[in-house]
Amino acid sequence: MQASRARLFKEYKEVQREKTADPDIQLACDDSNIFKWTALIKGPSETPYEGGVFQLAFAVPEQYPLQPPQVRFLTKIFHPNVHFKTGEICLDILKNAWSPAWTLQSVCRAIIALMAHPEPDSPLNCDSGNLLRSGDIRGFQSMAKMYTRLAAMPKKG
Amino acid sequence: MDSGDEINIYSDNEVNDYYGEDANNTDCNYESLIKEEDFVDSDSDSPVAKRPRLEGPPDQNYTVLKQSDIRERQENTIAEVATVLSVSKAVATVLLRHYNWSAVKVHEAWFSDEDRVRKNLGLLPIIEFPLDSTEVKCGICFDLFPTRDEIVSAACGHPYCVECFRGYIRTSINDGPGCLMLRCPDMSCCAVVDRDMVNSLVSEEEKHKYLTYLYRSYVEENKKIKWCPAPGCDHAIEFDDDQGWDVTCACEFSFCWNCVEDAHRPVDCETVANWMAKNDDESETKTWILAQTKPCPKCAKPIEKNEGCMHMTCHSPCRYQFCWICLGDWHNHINCNGYKEDKRKEVEEAKRHVQKYNHYYERWAAHNLSRLKAVSDLGRVQTEQIEQLSDIHGKTQIELGFIAEAWQQIVECRRVLKWTYAYGYYLPEAEDAKKQLFEFLQGEAEAGLERLHGYAEKEVRQFLNADERSVNFEGFELKLKSLTGVTKKYFEKLVSALENGLSEVQEAGKSNMEERWRCDRCTYANSWENVTCEICHMHQ
Ligand SMILES: [Zn+2]
Ligand SMILES: [Zn+2]
Ligand SMILES: [Zn+2]
Ligand SMILES: [Zn+2]
Ligand SMILES: [Zn+2]
Ligand SMILES: [Zn+2]
Ligand SMILES: [Zn+2]
Ligand SMILES: [Zn+2]
């Protein structure tokens, strides 16, 4: 079996086994393609994303885990390191700081950590980065909260 | 340096043979990184070609390094650190790379706090795993292995199967020079993956790539060494002290070691950087300047500039002689370097600025092109012309050396002249006296150079015709030598004046150019205090 497929299969089995281990992450593999995954992650508490559920899409390359997966937000999110239109994420471990010891599960954890600790100095969303850098924390939080409510929360009624 | 010994510090007993000593293993031989034929004409002890230096410091303050020199230094430094610190060469390499290849800095850091250095660089003491441990899980493929036989680890002991770790190193090598800093894949671990480990796992081709990165890092991370920027040249220059940045590589390319721009003495790096940035900004306004045709100022027929000097002669029947730069009559025009500020009030500042810039840029670019043309002419003179002349006039090539010298002088003077236009552009307009002195010296130097360039380019033609053996070749030799010497002196004056920041002005108060006497022989304008000409020593 292809090394990437074998490794993904192990991750798949691990996910099945520990489904309840991390209540903030629900990782699932596409039934017909083990190289396509989606995840639902909970917005971390005490952040403007609290209460929201965000969907991530993973595209895993053939060279995985020697090469990182491509991950993007499917749910709209207002965050300095996430591209507002495409959902692309700027996170070092998904680029030059990638290591094959990361798993899809631990990548999800790193993304949750990024939601709680944005890095306004490498912004993909300039509006959001500028608000933070200029010290307008309240402005940033109200925008982020608004989008969480609009895009990441189940509609009432 | 003891170059007779074949030093191969990369192979010792406990360490793999990094550079493949055995003969059938030539693929990844360090030797193969060095193409011997690159050095056939520069392997003497004085690799730097003699070229006319305008009163430069007699002692060279830099060293040209060939690939073999760089390798030897790198090997010696690694060996030194390994010996002094009693560590493997692979570890010494990690340390040296971190401290920009300075053995002194490695020693200082290591002996003041070895533990801290080890921790920072991930040079951990080796952790032995208990032999009785049961199954081991590879940290990359997550497969279980019954024994540690197929498992490899850095000093930290985190287990990976051989296949996965090989893939890990291979991916990193193919990603670029970052492979030289490779760490254990474990997220919370910083143990280095050193060269020994790399060498034990990858193919010859990948080892070769790794070694090339390592070789290049010796120059690129070293604070005192830079690559020669000439295309295709793989020499490097080590700089010893901060006096005079201009260096000349063994490939004959001259550049400023500090800013890696073309050599620009006597103009400082800041002025050059400003000027080059300005040229980028003004790229649109300057396209027309570079055009190599202009209408003849008299008959308006287009004239193409195909010679180096600025002295243009229109086609017959017009035959009007004019200056390429200012389009003025060649005979009534002594120099055209002075920029007349346009005082008319209705000319807005912006337009004035463009005019001023164009004036300097046009001259800067013209002298640059002329220099390039002179460089190629010099090549042609050395390969063809001197041989022809030698046959026709029965002179040895050494006797004809004065012609190449004249051309070398022309090349060097065009270079200086080019940069003086960047200098002139930034000379504060308020400093009238300085500006006057500068333009005077520049004008004299430029006029001298035009005389020399024109003579070397055109006068020689009559001697290339075998039928005219009778013409006065000695006269030509005498005149060309004297023009070369005179031009050299003009430029020496110009260079030293600019390097002194035109301080002559302060001493002499307002220097008065009108009150000078012009030498009949070389046309230099001497101060009345001089009885003999400052340049050619002829009596007034
Ligand atoms: Zn493995
Ligand atoms: Zn480790
Ligand atoms: Zn060179
Ligand atoms: Zn410079
Ligand atoms: Zn004409
Ligand atoms: Zn001329
Ligand atoms: Zn002119
Ligand atoms: Zn004279």
Side-chain angles (χ1 to χ4, degrees):
Chain A
M1 205 188 325
Q2 207 179 343
S4 50
R5 182 176 289 274
R7 155 84 185 243
L8 283 169
F9 191 67
K10 288 211 180 67
E11 290 193 42
Y12 172 75
K13 288 203 354 206
E14 187 75 2
V15 165
Q16 300 297 100
R17 190 145 46 85
E18 296 187 18
K19 224 162 192 163
T20 48
D22 193 334
D24 296 337
I25 301 168
Q26 259 186 61
L27 198 56
C29 151
D30 185 326
D31 290 335
S32 58
N33 184 354
I34 200 164
F35 291 95
K36 295 255 178 288
W37 292 61
T38 51
L40 293 174
I41 55 175
K42 279 191 191 156
S45 55
E46 285 163 53
T47 72
Y49 311 108
E50 183 169 5
V53 174
F54 298 82
Q55 193 175 14
L56 301 171
F58 289 77
V60 184
E62 298 269 340
Q63 298 81 15
Y64 182 80
L66 295 175
Q67 299 285 351
Q70 286 173 17
V71 193
R72 59 188 191 89
F73 274 90
L74 291 179
T75 311
K76 274 250 173 298
I77 178 169
F78 187 81
H79 185 285
N81 310 109
V82 182
H83 195 285
F84 190 66
K85 286 218 170 78
T86 65
E88 187 197 334
I89 303 166
C90 177
L91 181 57
D92 59 350
I93 62 132
L94 292 174
K95 293 173 179 140
N96 52 341
W98 170 255
S99 154
W102 288 94
T103 61
L104 301 183
Q105 180 88 15
S106 59
V107 165
C108 288
R109 245 176 262 129
I111 290 172
I112 292 173
L114 181 71
M115 288 166 85
H117 305 281
E119 284 175 34
D121 288 330
S122 59
L124 272 178
N125 179 338
C126 294
D127 293 340
S128 150
N130 288 342
L131 282 175
L132 273 186
R133 263 181 307 184
S134 64
D136 190 356
I137 309 280
R138 291 186 68 179
F140 163 75
Q141 286 187 336
S142 62
M143 287 292 281
K145 237 180 222 158
M146 183 187 85
Y147 279 106
T148 304
R149 204 164 296 140
L150 284 176
M153 286 184 190
K155 305 269 179 304
K156 280 170 206 150
Chain B
M1 208 169 291
D2 195 356
S3 56
D5 293 333
E6 182 58 43
I7 306 166
N8 193 337
I9 53 88
Y10 289 118
S11 68
D12 51 24
N13 297 340
E14 86 276 9
V15 164
N16 278 326
D17 184 358
Y18 292 124
Y19 295 129
E21 274 272 277
D22 72 58
N24 49 26
N25 179 12
T26 48
D27 262 348
C28 184
N29 192 318
Y30 211 118
E31 224 69 62
S32 67
L33 292 179
I34 295 137
K35 294 176 223 87
E36 286 300 334
E37 57 272 30
D38 288 351
F39 302 122
V40 279
D41 44 84
S42 60
D43 58 357
S44 73
D45 279 335
S46 54
V48 177
K50 302 272 178 298
R51 27 176 44 242
R53 284 182 76 90
L54 293 168
E55 54 155 337
D59 300 320
Q60 235 182 41
N61 54 346
Y62 61 90
T63 317
V64 178
L65 303 174
K66 296 175 293 188
Q67 287 196 341
S68 53
D69 300 328
I70 297 167
R71 182 183 55 141
E72 190 179 310
R73 280 163 184 249
Q74 186 174 29
E75 288 174 354
N76 290 344
T77 311
I78 294 172
E80 182 197 333
V81 168
T83 310
V84 175
L85 271 51
S86 310
V87 295
S88 76
K89 273 156 197 145
V91 168
T93 308
V94 171
L95 287 162
L96 278 163
R97 284 204 61 249
H98 185 80
Y99 291 99
N100 301 99
W101 293 96
S102 160
V104 177
K105 281 197 194 132
V106 171
H107 295 164
E108 272 175 15
W110 186 266
F111 291 114
S112 69
D113 194 345
E114 179 182 329
D115 287 345
R116 227 189 75 193
V117 172
R118 277 187 177 278
K119 222 174 130 198
N120 283 346
L121 301 193
L123 298 168
L124 316 173
I126 292 175
I127 295 169
E128 292 294 344
F129 262 68
L131 287 170
D132 60 323
S133 66
T134 50
E135 285 187 318
V136 197
K137 186 171 159 196
C138 164
I140 295 176
C141 66
F142 299 170
D143 279 345
L144 295 172
F145 290 82
T147 62
R148 285 192 73 89
D149 295 349
E150 289 166 82
I151 294 292
V152 288
S153 303
C156 57
H158 288 122
Y160 304 97
C161 76
V162 171
E163 268 324 299
C164 284
F165 211 74
R166 179 176 293 133
Y168 177 61
I169 296 174
R170 192 173 278 169
T171 307
S172 169
I173 289 175
N174 289 322
D175 273 358
C179 62
L180 298 174
M181 319 267 280
L182 200 59
R183 306 277 176 133
C184 167
D186 188 275
M187 283 171 264
S188 56
C189 180
C190 65
V192 290
V193 175
D194 68 19
R195 223 173 50 210
D196 288 350
M197 221 176 157
V198 169
N199 275 326
S200 65
L201 287 169
V202 300
S203 70
E204 292 303 322
E205 194 194 325
E206 283 147 0
K207 271 190 223 177
H208 182 90
K209 247 187 178 172
Y210 186 87
L211 286 179
T212 308
Y213 290 134
L214 187 63
Y215 167 78
R216 297 193 65 85
S217 89
Y218 183 75
V219 171
E220 282 152 25
E221 284 155 21
N222 201 311
K223 299 253 190 277
K224 302 211 122 196
I225 305 180
K226 283 180 185 170
W227 293 115
C228 167
C233 177
D234 41 26
H235 293 62
I237 312 268
E238 183 183 45
F239 200 78
D240 297 328
D241 70 73
D242 298 346
Q243 287 303 301
W245 291 114
D246 283 4
V247 299
T248 301
C249 179
C251 72
E252 303 231 5
F253 185 74
S254 293
F255 65 99
C256 168
W257 195 87
N258 189 39
C259 69
V260 205
E261 193 47 76
D262 288 357
H264 55 69
R265 186 168 179 255
V267 180
D268 62 46
C269 298
E270 199 190 338
T271 306
V272 168
N274 290 341
W275 178 252
M276 297 312 280
K278 176 142 200 69
N279 290 348
D280 284 344
D281 293 347
E282 309 256 353
S283 56
E284 272 163 38
T285 55
K286 79 196 181 198
T287 31
W288 63 271
I289 299 174
L290 291 169
Q292 283 301 287
T293 35
K294 285 187 184 180
C296 164
K298 204 167 173 193
C299 71
K301 267 200 201 131
I303 308 265
E304 195 182 352
K305 178 164 155 47
N306 49 18
E307 296 191 278
C309 88
M310 305 301 163
H311 182 179
M312 307 303 293
T313 304
C314 185
H315 308 286
S316 42
C318 169
R319 310 216 45 89
Y320 181 63
Q321 296 182 35
F322 63 96
C323 164
W324 168 259
I325 294 178
C326 69
L327 302 177
D329 184 333
W330 185 262
H331 293 292
N332 296 335
H333 140 288
I334 299 161
N335 39 40
C336 78
N337 63 312
Y339 176 72
K340 313 264 176 315
E341 297 277 339
D342 195 337
K343 294 262 157 46
R344 283 176 304 153
K345 275 192 187 125
E346 61 269 31
V347 180
E348 332 92 79
E349 186 65 12
K351 194 175 168 195
R352 201 188 59 84
H353 162 82
V354 170
Q355 282 176 344
K356 176 179 171 181
Y357 171 71
N358 285 353
H359 172 94
Y360 288 98
Y361 183 77
E362 184 170 21
R363 282 154 185 77
W364 180 84
H367 289 299
N368 188 36
L369 274 177
S370 173
R371 188 185 144 272
L372 293 175
K373 174 82 168 62
V375 168
S376 84
D377 283 349
L378 168 61
R380 211 171 30 75
V381 163
Q382 282 169 324
T383 54
E384 295 168 29
Q385 202 180 76
I386 290 187
E387 201 168 313
Q388 276 175 300
L389 288 169
S390 165
D391 289 347
I392 296 169
H393 298 275
K395 302 256 180 193
T396 68
Q397 307 229 347
I398 292 171
E399 283 177 301
L400 294 171
F402 69 93
I403 301 178
E405 268 166 45
W407 279 99
Q408 282 165 343
Q409 193 65 54
I410 291 166
V411 169
E412 176 67 356
C413 291
R414 288 284 174 208
R415 184 190 70 70
V416 171
L417 204 51
K418 159 183 139 176
W419 288 115
T420 61
Y421 281 99
Y423 181 95
Y425 179 79
Y426 291 107
L427 195 60
E429 277 160 32
E431 299 204 43
D432 222 30
K434 280 195 177 181
K435 194 160 182 277
Q436 230 182 84
L437 174 64
F438 165 67
E439 287 188 349
F440 169 75
L441 292 171
Q442 187 192 40
E444 294 288 288
E446 186 170 327
L449 175 58
E450 294 305 343
R451 275 197 303 277
L452 170 64
H453 200 160
Y455 197 78
E457 200 166 51
K458 289 167 185 153
E459 204 68 17
V460 73
R461 285 174 193 159
Q462 54 182 304
F463 302 102
L464 290 167
N465 189 336
D467 300 336
E468 295 185 36
R469 214 161 298 193
S470 52
V471 287
N472 183 4
F473 191 78
E474 276 66 33
F476 166 74
E477 172 172 354
L478 222 59
K479 178 110 191 250
L480 189 59
K481 276 181 173 167
S482 121
L483 285 175
T484 306
V486 165
T487 306
K488 182 166 188 262
K489 285 194 178 154
Y490 277 129
F491 275 82
E492 280 171 2
K493 268 186 90 71
L494 175 62
V495 165
S496 72
L498 295 199
E499 285 189 332
N500 299 332
L502 298 167
S503 55
E504 216 176 293
V505 171
Q506 271 96 11
E507 290 158 30
K510 260 212 153 195
S511 66
N512 206 336
M513 297 307 157
E514 289 79 46
E515 292 177 19
R516 286 175 176 252
W517 62 274
R518 225 164 241 289
C519 166
D520 287 339
R521 191 197 284 167
C522 74
T523 72
Y524 182 73
N526 288 283
S527 146
W528 286 107
E529 288 154 32
N530 299 343
V531 185
T532 55
C533 171
E534 243 189 277
I535 300 291
C536 71
H537 305 295
M538 194 181 95
H539 265 275
Q540 185 183 338

